[in-house]
Amino acid sequence: MPAFTRNAYDELISRARRGGDREVCGVLGGRPTTGLSEPVVGSVYPVDNVADAPRTRYELDPEGQLEAIETLEDRGETLVGFYHSHPRGPPVPSETDVGAATWPGASYVIVALGGEPYIGSWLWDGEEFDQELVRIVVDERDR
């Protein structure tokens, strides 16, 4: 169950909107938080979408993905998962998304913009996605 700081949640929606009709993508970093068993997503690391059809698919640039993961680790964060947008599409993983998932234990977050913005998350277990509840929590740094 991924928890997001308000800033990270809002940043995902903003990045998806700025992407227009192209899917945007990236890596999500987080830190353990008192009282929660899972890290709270507080960092959004955009990575270039290098898919051959970026209006309907995403593929994280391998070098950009590696750089994002190294940066979050250098900052003492944990890799929580990956995100991409569905500018017009449904707020659920597509068959392409299922076929491209490769990181068991990671959350795959979709920002859907068909109507009101919607952020959904699915945990990849290595074979299939299980939908997760998305929550927004108060960032401890805001206290």
Side-chain angles (χ1 to χ4, degrees):
M1 159 176 19
F4 291 82
T5 64
R6 168 54 70 184
N7 286 342
Y9 186 91
D10 290 347
E11 184 175 349
L12 284 174
I13 293 171
S14 176
R15 288 190 180 284
R17 284 182 170 150
R18 286 194 314 257
D21 61 356
R22 295 173 174 262
E23 293 191 12
V24 299
C25 54
V27 177
L28 301 170
R31 297 178 190 268
T33 300
T34 306
L36 296 176
S37 60
E38 298 294 325
V40 173
V41 175
S43 300
V44 176
Y45 297 92
V47 176
D48 289 340
N49 181 355
V50 296
D52 57 353
R55 291 179 183 212
T56 57
R57 301 185 63 165
Y58 81 99
E59 179 183 341
L60 285 97
D61 173 63
E63 288 181 26
Q65 179 180 341
L66 179 60
E67 183 178 315
I69 292 170
E70 288 175 346
T71 299
L72 71 87
E73 288 175 347
D74 288 346
R75 293 180 177 171
E77 295 177 312
T78 300
L79 173 84
V80 177
F82 306 93
Y83 73 91
H84 74 281
S85 63
H86 284 181
R88 294 169 308 283
V92 296
S94 67
E95 290 299 319
T96 302
D97 295 338
V98 173
T102 59
W103 204 291
S107 293
Y108 284 75
V109 172
I110 296 173
V111 184
L113 298 177
E116 286 295 315
Y118 171 84
I119 294 181
S121 183
W122 289 263
L123 183 66
W124 179 248
D125 69 6
E127 294 183 23
E128 63 183 11
F129 281 121
D130 292 314
Q131 190 167 13
E132 303 178 286
L133 177 66
V134 172
R135 300 181 303 133
I136 298 173
V137 298
V138 174
D139 188 344
E140 290 180 340
R141 295 170 291 194
D142 292 341
R143 293 183 183 185

